[in-house]
């Protein structure tokens, strides 16, 4: 049980009962039991989540380094090889594509040309290893939801020039809200009784798996783990790595300029002499609108992180990584449960010489919904060596705003409703709702809104060019 937390007598009793019950769960390791009870203890002790608004300062260019100020790396391939041989790429692979109607890991959703997210990641690293003769391995952190599927999927890469390792993040029991008991202790021992505790768990899981020690012994120093599957051109990643190695930065968060679509995203601040991630949940109510402003808080966290492995080992061993706890309420078979989670970005304040790097939007392309998939599959992007590159024919630096209705939410339905993905190089915004179907070779330009009336199927004919149109029926096309 965690020591030093000031618990009320009733909370101490709750924790004691929970601890006794969790001790008897044989599905999880001792490390997982200890980690879970420590997390619950911190939650019950009510650690402060808010910041003092008057102490917040905007980070300087020394703290959030502009991307274009990075020193170009040497043209000598042997120096680049030496640099890349310190690198490990870690991808968080614990998420299911359930929000997009998929049953397996999100990483196996097809992105372009029949290639999945994982295919593209492997291609990117293969290209680096072939070009420079280096050995950059790929680590996949699975959850108990994705472990079995992933082991089968990675077999297809057995002949590639890249070492692929997998390990599992922690498996914690869900908490029943009514009596604060672990759900599996009440007979719910299948997958619904458990949860993976957020991507902040990456540091302790990497340590507990033995992978961290093994990598350090191989001379690896740093890994950049995009928390979600982002499609990132590898261009200039060596400049970032070079900067971190030469400046001895233990932690780096890639941030990017905020748009009105990102107003809820976490931002970096200088706070009491340290760089810190500020999330909307920590903001006092009276300052929420100020937080959402893109004037004062101009950057947001892309969840693309670079972290020194030896620093992770030091901090995990010292039990120093106490990130803010995110309570995530859920419901399982009508029972209200609670998941306590942490985020990897919040760890920035615990590392020495931590910085942000303000990267262009082109390095940040999240795919969390089918509207994002439409962007990636369109002519707005091309594919080169596993990297998704923005089409130079698009003059507007911002991506189009795309809103697709419920009929497009699942990947299968999304693919059925487009005979081919429309050309959107000249598109500013698209809003689609209702039973809408697109023919092949459609071109969308400017601002386009398409609404099918209730009970009516609306088909956009093949070859149609829609520019600044509001369509409510076939007569408007």
């Amino acid at each position: 049980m965690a020591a030093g937390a000031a618990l009320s007598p009733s909370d101490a009793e709750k924790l004691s009962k929970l601890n006794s019950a969790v001790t008897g769960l044989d599905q999880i390791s001792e490390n997982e039991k200890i980690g879970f009870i420590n997390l619950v203890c911190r939650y019950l002790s009510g650690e402060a989540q808010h910041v003092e608004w008057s102490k917040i300062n905007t980070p300087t260019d020394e703290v959030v380094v502009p991307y274009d100020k990075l020193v170009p790396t040497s043209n000598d391939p042997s120096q680049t090889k030496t640099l890349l041989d310190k690198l490990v790429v870690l991808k968080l692979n614990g998420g299911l594509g359930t929000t997009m109607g998929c049953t397996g890991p999100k990483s196996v959703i097809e992105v372009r040309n029949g290639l999945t997210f994982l295919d593209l990641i492997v291609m990117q690293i293969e290209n680096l290893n072939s070009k420079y003769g280096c050995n950059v391995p790929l680590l996949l952190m699975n959850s108990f939801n994705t472990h079995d599927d992933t082991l089968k999927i990675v077999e297809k890469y057995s002949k590639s020039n890249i070492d692929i390792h997998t390990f599992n993040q922690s498996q914690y029991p869900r908490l029943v809200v009514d009596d604060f008991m672990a759900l599996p202790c009440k007979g719910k021992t299948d997958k619904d009784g458990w949860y993976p505790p957020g991507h902040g768990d990456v540091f302790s899981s990497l340590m507990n798996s033995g992978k961290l020690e093994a990598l350090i012994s191989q001379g690896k120093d740093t890994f950049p783990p995009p928390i979600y599957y982002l499609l990132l051109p590898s261009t200039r990643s060596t400049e970032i790595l070079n900067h971190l190695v030469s400046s001895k930065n233990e932690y780096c968060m890639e941030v990017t300029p905020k748009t009105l679509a990102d107003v809820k995203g976490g931002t970096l601040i200088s706070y009491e002499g340290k760089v810190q991630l500020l999330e909307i949940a920590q903001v006092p109510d009276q300052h929420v609108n100020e937080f959402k402003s893109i004037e004062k808080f101009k950057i947001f966290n892309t969840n693309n992180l670079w972290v020194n492995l030896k620093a992770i080992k030091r901090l995990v061993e010292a039990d120093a990584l106490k990130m803010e706890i995110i309570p995530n309420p859920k419901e399982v078979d009508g029972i209200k449960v609670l998941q306590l989670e942490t985020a990897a970005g919040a760890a920035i304040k615990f590392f020495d010489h931590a910085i942000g790097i303000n990267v262009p939007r082109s390095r940040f392309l999240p795919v969390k919904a089918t509207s994002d998939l439409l962007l990636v599959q369109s002519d707005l992007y091309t594919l080169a060596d596993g990297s998704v590159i923005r089409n130079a024919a698009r003059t507007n630096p911002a991506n189009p705003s795309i809103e697709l209705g419920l009929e497009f939410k699942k990947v299968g339905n999304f693919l059925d409703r487009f005979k081919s993905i429309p050309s959107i190089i000249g598109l500013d915004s698209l809003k689609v709702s209702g039973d809408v179907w697109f023919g092949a070779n459609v071109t969308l330009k400017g601002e386009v809104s398409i609404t099918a009336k209730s009970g009516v199927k609306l088909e956009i004919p093949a070859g149609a060019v829609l520019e600044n149109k509001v369509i409510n029926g076939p007569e408007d096309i």
Side-chain angles (χ1 to χ4, degrees):
M1 193 181 295
L7 296 182
S8 69
S10 64
D11 282 345
E13 188 180 352
K14 271 185 198 172
L15 190 66
S16 178
K17 284 182 179 175
L18 180 65
N19 191 36
S20 298
V22 167
T23 302
L25 293 174
D26 55 11
Q27 298 95 325
I28 56 176
S29 68
E30 285 305 310
N31 280 332
E32 286 168 316
K33 291 173 189 177
I34 293 166
F36 172 67
I37 292 296
N38 281 345
L39 194 61
V40 174
C41 185
R42 285 179 53 217
Y43 172 71
L44 288 173
S45 71
E47 289 181 358
Q49 301 291 308
H50 290 287
V51 294
E52 283 189 50
W53 202 253
S54 59
K55 292 184 177 179
I56 291 175
N57 290 302
T58 302
T60 63
D61 281 1
E62 283 73 42
V63 177
V64 176
V65 180
Y67 193 61
D68 55 12
K69 296 280 175 67
L70 295 176
V71 177
T73 46
S74 162
N75 291 326
D76 181 351
S78 65
Q79 286 188 25
T80 305
K81 176 187 183 307
T82 302
L83 200 58
L84 289 171
D85 275 334
K86 295 176 182 292
L87 186 67
V88 181
V89 175
L90 187 150
K91 299 283 179 175
L92 303 198
N93 189 49
L96 296 169
T98 45
T99 52
M100 293 195 277
C102 303
T103 53
K106 187 177 171 186
S107 55
V108 297
I109 293 174
E110 286 190 7
V111 186
R112 282 188 78 100
N113 310 353
L115 298 170
T116 67
F117 286 109
L118 201 49
D119 292 336
L120 296 182
I121 291 158
V122 169
M123 285 170 69
Q124 285 179 25
I125 300 172
E126 275 187 322
N127 183 53
L128 272 184
N129 286 345
S130 297
K131 186 174 179 181
Y132 295 104
C134 53
N135 178 26
V136 177
L138 172 63
L139 260 72
L140 299 174
M141 183 171 85
N142 304 320
S143 68
F144 59 88
N145 287 316
T146 61
H147 174 73
D148 292 344
D149 285 342
T150 302
L151 291 185
K152 292 174 194 161
I153 292 159
V154 296
E155 285 176 8
K156 73 188 240 188
Y157 308 119
S158 58
K159 291 189 169 64
S160 67
N161 68 342
I162 161 175
D163 292 332
I164 301 177
H165 306 274
T166 64
F167 67 101
N168 273 18
Q169 77 177 109
S170 300
Q171 177 175 333
Y172 286 177
R174 285 174 161 152
L175 279 168
V176 178
V177 171
D178 281 349
D179 60 3
F180 221 68
M181 186 46 63
L183 190 56
C185 297
K186 306 184 83 161
K188 191 71 179 168
T189 54
D190 63 6
K191 283 188 176 181
D192 287 342
W194 309 88
Y195 75 98
H199 45 64
D201 181 62
V202 62
F203 306 115
S204 55
S205 289
L206 192 60
M207 180 83 162
N208 293 338
S209 69
K211 298 290 182 191
L212 183 63
E213 199 66 63
L215 290 165
I216 291 171
S217 69
Q218 292 166 24
K220 301 296 182 184
D221 280 342
T222 311
F223 70 78
I227 296 303
Y228 301 110
Y229 276 87
L230 311 186
L231 309 173
L232 296 168
S234 54
T235 327
R236 296 204 62 189
S237 286
T238 49
E239 274 90 338
I240 295 179
L241 181 57
N242 185 52
H243 182 88
L244 302 181
V245 171
S246 59
S247 305
K248 297 185 167 51
N249 302 115
E250 290 187 344
Y251 185 112
C252 169
M253 175 184 290
E254 291 188 31
V255 294
T256 201
K258 193 193 278 190
T259 69
L260 291 173
D262 316 306
V263 292
K264 292 183 179 178
T267 191
L268 282 184
I269 57 171
S270 286
Y271 191 77
E272 297 183 329
K274 297 213 82 168
V275 62
Q276 187 166 322
L277 180 67
L278 178 65
E279 297 277 15
I280 194 165
Q282 298 165 272
V283 177
D285 291 346
Q286 67 269 32
H287 294 293
V288 166
N289 286 338
E290 193 180 344
F291 175 83
K292 289 181 176 179
S293 155
I294 60 174
E295 297 305 315
K296 179 168 182 178
F297 298 102
K298 297 179 178 178
I299 54 173
F300 80 104
N301 170 24
T302 67
N303 267 334
N304 227 28
L305 310 174
W306 300 68
V307 193
N308 181 280
L309 299 181
K310 289 175 184 171
I312 294 172
K313 183 173 187 285
R314 182 186 79 240
L315 291 168
V316 171
E317 284 179 342
D319 193 26
L321 294 175
K322 298 187 187 300
M323 286 84 84
E324 288 78 9
I325 295 169
I326 306 158
N328 187 1
K330 299 269 184 183
E331 200 166 289
V332 178
D333 297 339
I335 302 168
K336 286 187 168 58
V337 297
L338 189 62
Q339 300 181 180
L340 301 179
E341 303 175 7
T342 60
I348 189 168
K349 64 184 176 184
F350 300 108
F351 288 82
D352 293 337
H353 312 298
I355 60 167
I357 291 183
N358 194 351
V359 301
R361 195 80 190 191
S362 58
R363 274 185 68 85
F364 176 65
L365 190 58
V367 179
K368 298 182 182 179
T370 51
S371 53
D372 302 320
L373 208 52
L374 175 58
L375 287 173
V376 179
Q377 293 188 346
S378 74
D379 55 356
L380 204 56
Y381 291 93
T382 55
L383 199 60
D385 297 326
S387 290
V388 177
I389 310 292
R390 208 155 186 275
N391 191 332
R394 168 83 174 181
T395 52
N396 184 340
N399 276 347
S401 159
I402 295 179
E403 287 180 54
L404 300 177
L406 288 173
E407 293 79 5
F408 292 80
K409 187 177 180 184
K410 295 184 175 179
V411 173
N413 296 343
F414 164 85
L415 295 172
D416 287 344
R417 287 175 178 272
F418 289 100
K419 273 278 191 286
S420 67
I421 298 297
S423 169
I424 61 170
I425 283 180
L427 181 69
D428 294 320
S429 69
L430 172 66
K431 189 168 186 176
V432 182
S433 60
D435 189 12
V436 179
W437 299 75
F438 289 79
N441 304 315
V442 171
T443 301
L444 304 173
K445 296 180 177 181
E447 297 183 359
V448 179
S449 174
I450 306 169
T451 307
K453 292 174 180 140
S454 181
V456 177
K457 180 179 181 179
L458 178 56
E459 298 190 50
I460 308 300
V465 178
L466 307 179
E467 184 167 6
N468 295 320
K469 288 256 190 180
V470 176
I471 296 168
N472 295 303
E475 67 281 359
D476 298 323
I477 297 172

